[in-house]
Amino acid sequence: MSSLFDDIPLPGLDAPAPAAPAEDEPPFEGDGPAFVDAYEGGAYEEEIPDGLFQSFDPSEPVPASYYRNGAAHPVIDPDTLLDGMNPQQREAVVHAGSPLLIIAGAGSGKTRVLTHRIAHLLAARHVQPGEILAITFTNKAAGEMRERVEALVGPRAKAMWVSTFHSACVRILRRESKRLGFTSSFSIYDAADSQRLMALVCRDLDLDPKQFPPKSFTAKVSNLKNELIDEDTYAAKAENPMERKLAEAYALYQRRLREANALDFDDIIMTTVNLLQAFPDAAEHYRRRFRHILVDEYQDTNHAQYMLVRELTGGASGQGPKKTVDGEFVNPAEAQLAEIPPAELCVVGDADQSIYAFRGATIRNILDFEEDYPSATTILLEQNYRSTQTILTAANSVIERNSNRRKKNLWTAGAEGVKIVSYVADDEHGEAQFIADEIDKLSDKGDAKPGDVAVFYRTNAQSRVFEEVFIRVGLPYKVVGGVRFYERKEVRDVLAYLRVLANPEDAVPLRRILNVPKRGIGDRAEAMIEALASRERISFPQALLRVDEAYGMAARSANAVKKFNDLMAKLRGVVESGAGPAAILEAVLEETGYLAELQTSTDPQDETRVENLQELAAVALEFEQEEPVEGPDGEPVTQPGLPGFLERVALVADSDQIPDEDGEGRGVITLMTLHTAKGLEFPVVFLTGMEDGVFPHMRAMTNAKELEEERRLAYVGLTRARERLYLSRAVLRSAWGQPSYNPASRFLEEIPVTLVDERRTAAAAGPSGFGSRAGGSGLGGSRLGGSSAGGGSGFGSSQSGRRSGPAAGWGKSAGRMNDRPMVTLAVGDRVTHDRFGLGTVVSVTGPADDAKATIDFGAEGTKQLLLRYAPVEKL
DNA sequence: CCGATAGCGCTTTTT
DNA sequence: GCGCTATCGG
């Protein structure tokens, strides 16, 4: 495929398309799995739709000889599953009898190991597919895994649960909903819904939004749920006023959810754990069923997910149910549980790639696995099948700076590869321009096509410049992430209608659509309904139906509400007539006038809105026409109809996909954040904005833990590159409308200079040699100040750099010639101020001789200081 | 009630 | 520099 590799033979590089599933793996060597005639899975003989086998991932070719007489059930020789694997991978595939931790470095063939392990369980250990539960974090990962397992073992794979944490739990909860006090058609609130509900709750509690911001309450409640702390437990230990208010809000929030027959994302996990703990017979059911549990990306699990895995597995060995001192079971029903041996657990992860601590993921889960499961075996996968040794060495030396880390050394049997290219631009436009030029060059030389290239950045806001420049020079690109399809206003509006139809008691979407499109039901009318609801102790949706009793409501408003009620009744009629999701959606678009409003609008944006709604309608139709898939026990994997559609939509909140390699096409450049990049790989990677304050992000720099997470993010970014890696930064960058000078990212210094080809250094960039950092032995452009050879971008009337000693901070920044020497500060520097005392520099902005610094003086507060005058001294 | 405008604040975000 | 929210005037 990529001509990039013509002179650098690496194993595994003829693997899939650039944006293909992350862990690329060595191709099958030998003839692929052969078949033996010992297939025993007769229980799963089902008819196979025509063409089923044509849709498999081409990266794992399934030779025609795979099937006996073209029959649908491949039977695998266990040994051939191990072909082409290294010793550690083999061990991971065949290991049996105790909990297994696979530490899989980036690009070490993790997915291959997982899928082959599953196939091996079936082929060699007589495990039934229905006994397998494989959990991932994303639908995409689940889909890929299922597909690849199916390619290995055939349709038997359908009986396995291969799903995300959330869909697995929803499936359990639907089945058990009755004993938990809600109906099986419960709604699922996404982050935006939760936020909305919390805002309502805070308003009801008369909380001052300045003092008790609903946003932070939402986040805190989410954290509590991730820690499995329910509202009562929290209320019992709330101490200060803030905590007590939070406890109140949490309780009311939960009450409202329950009234709305809804669960939020975090509830889905927490409630499942509660279920398994509270109902031993439910736990027994799942423990008997799932004898093999595999968890991907274990480093990203939070406490609730950790406990879920533990409950499903049956705990670590020796961790039985509670007993009294006499050895009697506290709960007799639990006696049954004790008889079930724990399931075999296999978790895969890489602590160095844990980048979601901010969402509650705790690296502890993977670090302490061996203590949690004392009989555990650990296997380390260090051989990399993705990148050149140069790239791996760079990644290794960066991640090594993290403390408390299990040592790991990625290596490849492949080539050294070309050097990493570094580039220092004057500003962010220059950076984007360089990247565009470089892609052009690679393209002309035939070294890479746009589809091979990815541009990574720390924050979404950084994508704009690249878009501007790429549009100007005519490079095809696609931005991944940002505002997602299901987060778009029009999509959410229309889905809100569907949700109300599916669950009339769900107040959050109901209030959303009450006046959308505009129909004369304003805040005042809404408040009246709310008052009625609390007066009569009924829910908001019920109050709405009794508008006539709303005291003091203007006749006009009341009429509007009645018309709305009629509208909803009519739509409900459509639902009751047995129409499918697509037809219901169409009725909503028509009857509400939503579509008409968009179509008659002159706003050009509304055109794309209409397209998005058409897209949504297409999704609904597709869902409707899907064949129902049934699990082995006859329960449907997805429920049909409107509730099923809504569940799908709630749990698959990402339809923006990474661009596919479209046949012979040259593909498009992929732009995305570093977080989104996790799990992907590209022949050519540009890591941009390599500046302290940008990456690592300003907010993460003062905290050692967060800084380590940023470093892991850097590690993730570096290891996405197969062949060519570029690191770029801008001396001057405008953020939030304000220009600011940023020093080189500390991560740059952590890469050995010998690996780097410095295409343009700080000395050549910007006004007079900005950017070398203290101790800059790395590639941070450690040349001396020097004249602005590259022609600085012409501000600051560029004096030559008067560097203040070896630790130059953000380079020169002496004020005008005659001014007293101005202190040069870098983010993170410690300073003293004549009046405020000790402080830490949070940020530095503004043009060279007019620079402002934000300094955190602790108890004295955070001050903005004009450095020209400020009586500060660097320590 | 609705549209316009001022003001604030602002990483990352698998579900 | 932008997008969401709160507030005001019509």
Side-chain angles (χ1 to χ4, degrees):
Chain A
M1 55 168 306
S2 172
S3 45
L4 266 181
F5 303 117
D6 285 352
D7 45 355
I8 304 145
L10 286 179
L13 285 184
D14 41 339
E23 315 297 334
D24 72 314
E25 327 200 316
F28 268 125
E29 281 155 47
D31 301 318
F35 289 105
V36 296
D37 278 329
Y39 176 59
E40 295 180 356
Y44 296 99
E45 306 241 354
E46 38 198 295
E47 72 285 32
I48 308 309
D50 281 341
L52 182 68
F53 290 115
Q54 263 122 58
S55 59
F56 286 143
D57 183 346
S59 65
E60 295 246 12
V62 181
S65 63
Y66 223 79
Y67 310 102
R68 274 174 311 174
N69 312 322
H73 298 298
V75 179
I76 298 170
D77 170 6
D79 289 341
T80 61
L81 279 171
L82 303 175
D83 283 352
M85 286 196 158
N86 66 42
Q88 293 77 26
Q89 290 178 321
R90 285 170 187 235
E91 196 192 337
V93 168
V94 303
H95 173 85
S98 67
L100 175 63
L101 166 64
I102 304 171
I103 296 180
S108 60
K110 170 190 78 167
T111 307
R112 182 173 159 93
V113 166
L114 264 179
T115 52
H116 284 236
R117 179 174 171 83
I118 292 172
H120 192 264
L121 289 174
L122 303 184
R125 297 175 57 193
H126 306 107
V127 172
Q128 294 299 312
E131 296 175 329
I132 294 175
L133 170 63
I135 307 179
T136 63
F137 274 85
T138 68
N139 291 294
K140 188 163 167 271
E144 261 157 32
M145 194 183 299
R146 173 176 290 281
E147 205 168 279
R148 288 171 72 163
V149 171
E150 209 166 300
L152 289 173
V153 309
R156 279 187 295 165
K158 289 196 193 311
M160 306 183 320
W161 279 31
V162 182
S163 67
T164 63
F165 272 102
H166 291 264
S167 14
C169 287
V170 165
R171 219 167 137 183
I172 293 174
L173 290 174
R174 295 251 187 249
R175 189 174 178 272
E176 314 281 346
S177 60
K178 263 128 241 133
R179 68 213 304 176
L180 293 165
F182 39 84
T183 76
S184 70
S185 68
F186 58 81
S187 309
I188 296 167
Y189 276 21
D190 68 13
D193 298 322
S194 304
Q195 202 125 126
R196 186 90 212 100
L197 180 60
M198 184 57 87
L200 291 172
V201 162
C202 287
R203 226 174 53 196
D204 280 3
L205 293 175
D206 278 323
L207 296 180
D208 171 16
K210 290 257 153 33
Q211 222 183 323
F212 307 102
K215 255 191 175 170
S216 85
F217 272 26
T218 313
K220 283 174 180 164
V221 164
S222 171
N223 290 338
L224 288 170
K225 289 180 177 179
N226 289 161
E227 290 294 319
L228 297 175
I229 300 169
D230 65 33
E231 66 272 33
D232 297 329
T233 313
Y234 185 70
K237 61 177 205 186
E239 281 166 1
N240 57 50
M242 168 65 97
E243 288 177 358
R244 274 196 289 274
K245 287 293 175 204
L246 177 60
E248 242 181 281
Y250 187 3
L252 185 55
Y253 175 89
Q254 287 307 101
R255 218 178 78 201
R256 290 282 155 81
L257 274 178
R258 181 133 301 212
E259 284 166 5
N261 193 30
L263 294 170
D264 68 20
F265 275 154
D266 304 308
D267 281 334
I268 289 174
I269 312 290
M270 180 170 79
T271 311
T272 309
V273 174
N274 291 344
L275 170 91
L276 295 174
Q277 289 177 339
F279 299 98
D281 59 316
E284 186 188 339
H285 176 264
Y286 292 102
R287 281 195 205 164
R288 285 199 192 282
R289 165 152 190 183
F290 298 122
R291 304 313 302 146
H292 287 269
I293 297 177
L294 301 97
V295 186
D296 195 11
E297 306 279 18
Y298 193 69
Q299 78 281 353
D300 287 338
T301 49
N302 60 36
H303 179 69
Q305 289 157 339
Y306 164 84
M307 285 305 290
L308 177 75
V309 169
R310 227 185 145 95
E311 291 299 330
L312 286 172
T313 309
S317 32
Q319 270 267 326
K322 279 191 214 101
K323 290 184 190 175
T324 64
V325 257
D326 312 325
E328 294 294 309
F329 289 103
V330 171
N331 180 346
E334 291 185 347
Q336 304 254 24
L337 272 183
E339 289 165 14
I340 310 170
E344 200 168 300
L345 176 64
C346 166
V347 306
V348 187
D350 179 4
D352 290 336
Q353 291 185 68
S354 159
I355 54 175
Y356 286 106
F358 71 94
R359 286 191 85 252
T362 153
I363 207 164
R364 197 209 72 95
N365 289 348
I366 197 162
L367 294 178
D368 292 356
F369 187 84
E370 286 142 320
E371 286 161 43
D372 293 336
Y373 298 89
S375 56
T377 302
T378 300
I379 295 172
L380 198 56
L381 302 181
E382 293 178 297
Q383 183 174 0
N384 174 290
Y385 297 94
R386 177 187 297 156
S387 310
T388 64
Q389 187 60 52
T390 299
I391 290 166
L392 296 178
T393 306
N396 281 332
S397 53
V398 168
I399 198 65
E400 237 168 48
R401 310 282 176 124
N402 274 2
S403 54
N404 295 326
R405 177 182 97 85
R406 186 191 289 254
K407 262 213 176 319
K408 190 152 31 82
N409 192 46
L410 292 182
W411 62 278
T412 176
E416 206 54 36
V418 297
K419 277 194 172 185
I420 295 164
V421 174
S422 84
Y423 187 88
V424 183
D426 297 343
D427 56 26
E428 69 268 32
H429 301 282
E431 185 184 33
Q433 189 62 53
F434 161 73
I435 290 168
D437 291 345
E438 195 63 23
I439 294 172
D440 266 338
K441 270 190 223 154
L442 290 173
S443 215
D444 290 346
K445 279 195 285 181
D447 281 346
K449 50 194 186 327
D452 295 333
V453 180
V455 178
F456 299 156
Y457 34 79
R458 177 65 237 266
T459 65
N460 283 120
Q462 288 166 253
S463 71
R464 261 194 45 192
V465 210
F466 296 110
E467 293 195 66
E468 281 166 22
V469 173
F470 288 175
I471 287 171
R472 204 180 61 228
V473 304
L475 280 171
Y477 71 90
K478 160 142 198 200
V479 181
V480 179
V483 186
R484 283 186 285 273
F485 183 71
Y486 289 104
E487 285 167 17
R488 299 201 164 107
K489 180 184 178 299
E490 62 278 15
V491 175
R492 291 193 70 94
D493 284 342
V494 171
L495 285 177
Y497 274 97
L498 298 186
R499 290 170 55 181
V500 172
L501 291 172
N503 182 2
E505 281 299 306
D506 198 345
V508 164
L510 176 64
R511 293 169 81 132
R512 179 184 180 100
I513 56 168
L514 197 53
N515 200 29
V516 176
K518 293 261 141 62
R519 52 173 72 90
I521 307 173
D523 293 345
R524 198 169 159 72
E526 196 183 329
M528 301 281 187
I529 301 289
E530 219 182 335
L532 173 66
S534 64
R535 195 169 66 236
E536 297 289 318
R537 303 186 171 282
I538 53 177
S539 70
F540 184 90
Q542 286 158 14
L544 198 69
L545 297 171
R546 289 161 59 177
V547 245
D548 287 330
E549 300 164 48
Y551 183 75
M553 167 113 57
R556 191 146 59 125
S557 303
N559 271 330
V561 171
K562 277 183 215 157
K563 272 179 78 180
F564 174 76
N565 285 336
D566 292 344
L567 170 71
M568 293 310 286
K570 188 169 180 187
L571 289 171
R572 203 150 279 134
V574 174
V575 175
E576 275 153 19
S577 75
I584 299 169
L585 190 112
E586 202 183 311
V588 167
L589 290 174
E590 292 298 327
E591 301 292 337
T592 60
Y594 199 99
L595 193 61
E597 190 181 79
L598 288 178
Q599 281 167 339
T600 54
S601 152
T602 50
D603 186 341
Q605 276 207 316
D606 287 340
E607 224 169 287
T608 41
R609 297 214 165 97
V610 172
E611 282 164 20
N612 287 334
L613 291 176
Q614 280 163 350
E615 173 69 24
L616 184 65
V619 173
L621 197 63
E622 202 177 297
F623 175 85
E624 211 170 295
Q625 289 168 349
E626 239 171 57
E627 289 174 58
V629 180
E630 281 191 6
D633 37 13
E635 46 178 313
V637 170
T638 34
Q639 38 174 2
L642 192 56
F645 176 63
L646 290 171
E647 175 180 321
R648 170 77 57 92
V649 159
L651 295 177
V652 187
D654 196 330
S655 81
D656 285 64
Q657 285 302 333
I658 285 91
D660 294 326
E661 184 93 50
D662 42 3
E664 298 92 87
R666 302 184 44 83
V668 302
I669 302 164
T670 308
L671 272 56
M672 62 179 127
T673 65
L674 283 156
H675 282 88
T676 314
K678 191 173 105 172
L680 303 175
E681 62 175 33
F682 298 86
V684 182
V685 163
F686 289 87
L687 241 170
T688 71
M690 297 299 290
E691 301 139 40
D692 265 14
V694 175
F695 183 40
H697 194 273
M698 214 172 76
R699 302 251 297 246
M701 285 198 307
T702 41
N703 174 311
K705 274 251 172 331
E706 288 182 47
L707 186 62
E708 295 211 335
E709 178 145 319
E710 296 282 303
R711 188 173 282 111
R712 291 193 290 270
L713 195 53
Y715 176 74
V716 166
L718 297 170
T719 52
R720 297 309 98 192
R722 284 209 215 147
E723 188 52 34
R724 288 175 195 271
L725 177 61
Y726 292 83
L727 305 169
S728 61
R729 69 184 178 101
V731 168
L732 174 68
R733 179 180 299 273
S734 294
W736 298 321
Q738 277 268 316
S740 79
Y741 293 96
N742 300 312
S745 169
R746 59 198 64 196
F747 302 144
L748 290 174
E749 289 172 16
E750 296 168 2
I751 296 173
V753 259
T754 50
L755 302 176
V756 179
D757 166 16
E758 294 184 283
R759 221 42 102 61
R760 187 170 187 259
T761 63
S768 54
F770 271 90
S772 48
R773 285 182 47 84
S777 57
L779 61 88
S782 48
R783 332 232 142 149
L784 268 195
S787 55
S788 37
S793 46
F795 55 60
S797 57
S798 71
Q799 309 85 341
S800 60
R802 174 157 34 104
R803 304 180 35 127
S804 51
W810 47 281
K812 72 121 263 158
S813 57
R816 281 168 221 16
M817 292 296 191
N818 296 330
D819 285 351
R820 74 185 159 99
M822 186 170 132
V823 67
T824 60
L825 296 179
V827 175
D829 280 348
R830 303 277 292 159
V831 297
T832 57
H833 185 281
D834 290 359
R835 204 143 54 84
F836 304 134
L838 225 56
T840 308
V841 178
V842 177
S843 70
V844 184
T845 58
D849 44 19
D850 201 26
K852 264 187 270 179
T854 309
I855 303 178
D856 183 358
F857 289 104
E860 297 287 328
T862 303
K863 312 280 180 194
Q864 289 255 3
L865 301 173
L866 205 53
L867 288 184
R868 201 159 2 133
Y869 307 116
V872 292
E873 217 174 310
K874 197 159 104 180
L875 294 180

